[in-house]
Amino acid sequence: MTPPPRTATDPAVLQWHLNEDTDAASDAGGASGAGNPAGAAPAGAVMSAPAAAATEDRAGAAAAAAAGGSAAALAKAGAGAKAGDGAGPVAEGTRAGDVTEAVAEAGPGDRAGAGTGAPAGSVAGPDAGSPARASDGDDAAAALPLRRNRDFSLLWGGAGLSLLAGRATAVAYPLTVLWLTGSPGDAGLVGTALLLPQLLVQLPGGALVDRWDRRRIMLGAGLGQALVAGAVAALLLSGHVWLWALLAAAFVEGTLGVLHQLAERAAVPAVVPAEQLPAALTGNEARTRGAAIAGQPLGSGLVAIGASFPYVAALVGQLASVALLFGVRGKLQAERTGPRPDLVADVKEGLVWMWRQHFLRAVMAAVAVSNLLFQGLNLAVMTGIQENHGSQFEIGLVLSLSGAGGLVGAISGGWWATRFSLRTLVLGGLAVWTALMVPVAFLRDPFALGALFAASGYVGGVFNVAGGVFMVRVAPDRMRGRANSLAMLVGGGAMAAGPVAAGFALEAYGPTRTVLGLSVAMGLTALAALLSPALRRNPLDA
């Protein structure tokens, strides 16, 4: 008899077990002789049903082991499972790294490999043995590091380039207007136009992301953003700059950016095994912060060279993003069964679901107020540096240091999340933000301001990782687009009011008084969160 394969994952393991059974049957037939009616069938004869079942059971156990199957699958195969159970994934050639739809359908807290949410040791439904729904492919994918997950890498890189381009133009729009007109009010208006889709587009956008193909949404949004960037660059090069045209371009770019971000966030669980979601979301937050680090000084520096340069760079970045996203394979959402409700019904369903998430609503309210205040703080710093005869590059330096702090916070966010509750992180973060805002009112040195902004960004990075993991765990796949859209509606919608309100406050009271007012508002937000009864009942803790 041939020696056994060296490892359970050896491709020859299934054939070895089959050969071993055949050899055993042959040996048994020779020992019993032709006249022994109780002997096993001779070599070459068709095996009896019990013998065939035993062979199939052993093959099923080998297949489950080779594909990284669970102990329940092995027990099932050894206990006399039906012929063929467990062998499907190997027979169909399941590839290591493939992520099946079972991952996307996994409920909150499901372990890797338990994509259907069935209890340990149970059969996951009538089609549990089919390759498309078996958990073995998920286990194989879970064994691979994220850097070797091709689809996640392409999705991560494509969205990162789009974010980088968006960050560059987000700082370029108000800077362009501020340096052309010298009016903080006009700069605040164009900043609000860029953020207004966070308020107006989130709800229908989330429903569309749950209904339409998420890959196509990202591709269409990327191409649209490239066209907008090219149009703005052409407008600035022509020398004919109209405020209304910049307002319209900023609004369209903001709208497409919302759709792109919603689709990408909802698609991540479809390409990543369940147990790797925290690591994937940490990587996404680090990517977002990295885009801020590079994008903000890139945008401000290019504005200093020429007003059209940031938009030309954004055009190139968006096209590169589209090229990467074309390579993502497979479906990025679970199939919805049954009749599809209309768009209004989808939006209503999402609103009802979110209304019942009391803890999540309280966290989102605190984040919304802080986002509004930080938008005002950013514009106040821009105005203060300009009044102190600073440059656009100094503004970009301060904002990029904020992104650097956020990157470090995102990387360490998992450490904080495993040691402190989300409520503790929210309360502590709001208190730290309040303490860091007060000195900003009196400082004008870009390095000192950058240090304060870096500390504030660190807290934001920790927040976003912890909140992103919480959102993925509580929201089912069919609701994920709408859940993210509602979270971004509350948080991003409040941001839209920040620049325009701060712009008029800065013209009326100046940078110092405006920042002190923002600090008081942040302190009141921290106090309200401390007293909120909804923040004391985290559903995941239960």
Side-chain angles (χ1 to χ4, degrees), residues 178-179 182 184 379-391 394-395 444 503 505-512 514:
L178 185 61
W179 250 256
L379 187 58
V381 168
M382 291 182 186
T383 304
I385 291 177
Q386 186 201 35
E387 290 181 354
N388 201 43
H389 308 292
S391 65
E394 290 178 346
I395 293 173
R444 293 297 179 267
L506 286 165
E507 290 187 345
Y509 304 108
T512 300
T514 299

Side-chain angles (χ1 to χ4, degrees), residues 408-512:
V408 178
I411 294 172
S412 59
W415 186 91
W416 289 96
T418 58
R419 288 163 175 79
F420 299 95
S421 67
L422 185 56
R423 179 177 185 269
T424 301
L425 294 177
V426 170
L427 296 177
L430 291 172
V432 171
W433 277 340
T434 302
L436 292 173
M437 268 191 177
V438 177
V440 175
F442 307 100
L443 294 174
R444 293 297 179 267
D445 180 73
F447 293 100
L449 289 171
L452 293 174
F453 269 59
S456 298
Y458 181 90
V459 176
V462 173
F463 264 20
N464 288 350
V465 170
V469 172
F470 180 87
M471 178 67 76
V472 167
R473 288 179 174 174
V474 300
D477 178 83
R478 68 180 185 84
M479 191 69 66
R480 202 162 282 142
R482 283 164 287 176
N484 280 317
S485 73
L486 287 166
M488 292 174 64
L489 169 66
V490 176
M495 290 170 60
V500 65
F504 291 115
L506 286 165
E507 290 187 345
Y509 304 108
T512 300

Side-chain angles (χ1 to χ4, degrees), residues 290-482:
I293 294 172
Q296 289 171 336
L298 177 65
S300 59
L302 290 175
V303 166
I305 298 173
S308 64
F309 278 58
Y311 308 98
V312 174
L315 169 64
V316 175
Q318 294 293 355
L319 292 178
S321 168
V322 169
L324 286 179
L325 293 172
F326 262 115
V328 180
R329 301 169 302 185
K331 289 186 175 295
L332 298 183
Q333 67 260 53
E335 293 290 345
R336 297 182 68 175
T337 58
R340 174 177 293 180
D342 58 31
L343 189 63
V344 175
D346 271 350
V347 171
K348 181 180 178 181
E349 183 186 17
L351 288 170
V352 171
W353 179 86
M354 182 62 75
W355 182 255
R356 294 172 179 171
Q357 311 300 315
H358 302 288
F359 182 86
L360 183 58
R361 282 194 289 117
V363 172
M364 287 165 51
V367 171
V369 176
S370 63
N371 283 349
L372 184 152
L373 298 177
F374 270 108
Q375 287 300 311
L377 188 68
N378 290 343
L379 187 58
V381 168
M382 291 182 186
T383 304
I385 291 177
Q386 186 201 35
E387 290 181 354
N388 201 43
H389 308 292
S391 65
Q392 299 101 321
F393 182 77
E394 290 178 346
I395 293 173
L397 175 65
V398 173
L399 298 179
S400 66
L401 288 174
S402 174
L407 175 60
V408 178
I411 294 172
S412 59
W415 186 91
W416 289 96
T418 58
R419 288 163 175 79
F420 299 95
S421 67
L422 185 56
R423 179 177 185 269
T424 301
L425 294 177
V426 170
L427 296 177
L430 291 172
V432 171
W433 277 340
T434 302
L436 292 173
M437 268 191 177
V438 177
V440 175
F442 307 100
L443 294 174
R444 293 297 179 267
D445 180 73
F447 293 100
L449 289 171
L452 293 174
F453 269 59
S456 298
Y458 181 90
V459 176
V462 173
F463 264 20
N464 288 350
V465 170
V469 172
F470 180 87
M471 178 67 76
V472 167
R473 288 179 174 174
V474 300
D477 178 83
R478 68 180 185 84
M479 191 69 66
R480 202 162 282 142
R482 283 164 287 176

Side-chain angles (χ1 to χ4, degrees), residues 116-212:
T116 57
S122 66
V123 179
D127 54 351
S130 65
R133 298 182 61 87
S135 64
D136 300 313
D138 299 342
D139 293 334
L144 290 175
L146 283 176
R147 66 179 179 274
R148 293 177 58 191
N149 185 327
R150 177 183 179 275
D151 287 339
F152 175 73
S153 297
L154 290 173
L155 183 64
W156 188 91
L161 286 174
S162 180
L163 280 171
L164 178 62
R167 291 291 185 178
T169 54
V171 71
Y173 273 109
L175 276 180
T176 300
V177 175
L178 185 61
W179 250 256
L180 287 175
T181 66
S183 170
D186 288 346
L189 282 175
V190 75
T192 294
L194 189 64
L195 295 173
L196 193 58
Q198 302 277 359
L199 182 64
L200 302 180
V201 183
Q202 293 287 358
L203 284 180
L208 293 175
V209 163
D210 285 338
R211 295 163 69 94
W212 293 352

